[in-house]
Amino acid sequence: MERVGIVGVGQTKYERRKKGDSFADLVYEATSRALRDAGMTIKEIDNVVTVSNDFWDGRTISSMAVMDACGAYEKNVSTVEGDGTFGVLYGMMRILSGSFGTTLVVAHCKGSESVSSLITNGMFDPIYQRALGLDAITSSALQARAYMNRYGIREEQCARVSVKNHGNAKNNPFAQMPLNITVKEVMASRMLSDPIKLLDASPISDGSAAVILADEKRAEKIDQKPVWIKGIGHCADAYFLGDRDLAECPSLEAAAKKAYGMAGITNPLKEIDVAEIYDAFSYMELLWSEGLGFCGRGEGGKFVDSGKSRMEGKLPINPSGGVLSAHAVLVAGLARVCECVLQLRGDAGARQVEGAKTAVAQGINGPCGQSHCVIVLGN
């Protein structure tokens, strides 16, 4: 396909509560940073894709209220109501349509102004499942237990992910929760929903992120060195949890296969230098590592035990601290893309993976990773 590059990225700092900032303030900050990073003005942006959600914003047609903040007035604009990686997918398709040369994708969320248990309960079927009280935490606990029981994954192995990623966050100025913790401390933290404990779970966060996409012709005219989208894939599993095998992630496997095929990757562990994946809960990094082909099925626990996913390992995963260290819903996947771009440009500072040339960013929609988007990036 025609090459599409990412020529600018911007993030706010992620915090538990940004009292002084409205949704529009967050969007304006992330957009402004992305434009400065690219050395562009808003006049050079052909169209805009906003990523928002009426439930999380507490208002209908939530995208309309941030249009001025991201400079979308008098431009072609559309909205994605899901994770930011899907916003990148849509923005790329708009460029590949031939109608636009550049696209701004921006996502925002203020979890501090929401009751996440009520909002995530609303994503379940209103007749059969919602009344059970299922939400993001309890449904993920069902998945974690199914996965752990099938493959003998130990809680301590999940805890090791939390220790690694919170430790990585100490090198990320945007991260919300840089922590020095031990496996013992994770295991002793308050139980939320068995087997998920407080330090196995991502925090409530406020924040925004933005990326600027450009076709090859426009990218050549921009001062910032582009990072190219080498491959992209997305796939959704069944909606009802009972219709799915929660111990497996076939939709991620299918999305990764598509993205890798486009990028010409046949051995992910050897050919990918760094990965930023959606670890809303610690077990997810283990399960998603399997789905992304970094290790075999049921080997996620052994993979983290081996140290291969550490900063000094064969394939560093979430050097930014991941979603465990900052989880602005809808923004989190776009933040993964931003982090991969910084890695491939050599601009990741203290969290830089030396010599990174190929990266993978992953985002999810729906309960228990119902839908996945995988993006392979290269410089």
Side-chain angles (χ1 to χ4, degrees), residues 11 31 34 45 76 86 102 135 137 150-151 259 273 286 292 328 349:
Q11 300 180 76
T31 299
I45 300 297
N76 192 296
F86 290 84
T102 58
D135 61 13
I137 296 176
R150 177 169 300 175
Y151 292 113
D273 301 311
L286 306 183
L292 288 164

Side-chain angles (χ1 to χ4, degrees), residues 62-134:
S62 54
S63 60
M64 293 295 103
V66 297
M67 293 304 179
D68 287 357
C70 61
Y73 48 88
E74 298 182 353
K75 295 183 187 296
N76 192 296
V77 64
S78 341
T79 299
V80 168
E81 192 169 8
D83 181 65
T85 49
F86 290 84
V88 173
L89 169 67
Y90 187 33
M92 184 192 78
M93 289 192 294
R94 303 210 88 194
I95 290 175
L96 292 177
S97 73
S99 300
F100 308 101
T102 58
T103 297
L104 167 70
V105 181
V106 59
H108 72 274
C109 188
K110 291 195 75 175
S112 66
E113 297 182 2
S114 311
V115 181
S116 61
S117 59
L118 294 178
I119 292 172
T120 57
N121 175 252
M123 67 183 169
F124 291 97
D125 172 79
I127 305 300
Y128 300 104
Q129 295 183 330
R130 199 176 298 174
L132 298 175
L134 284 172

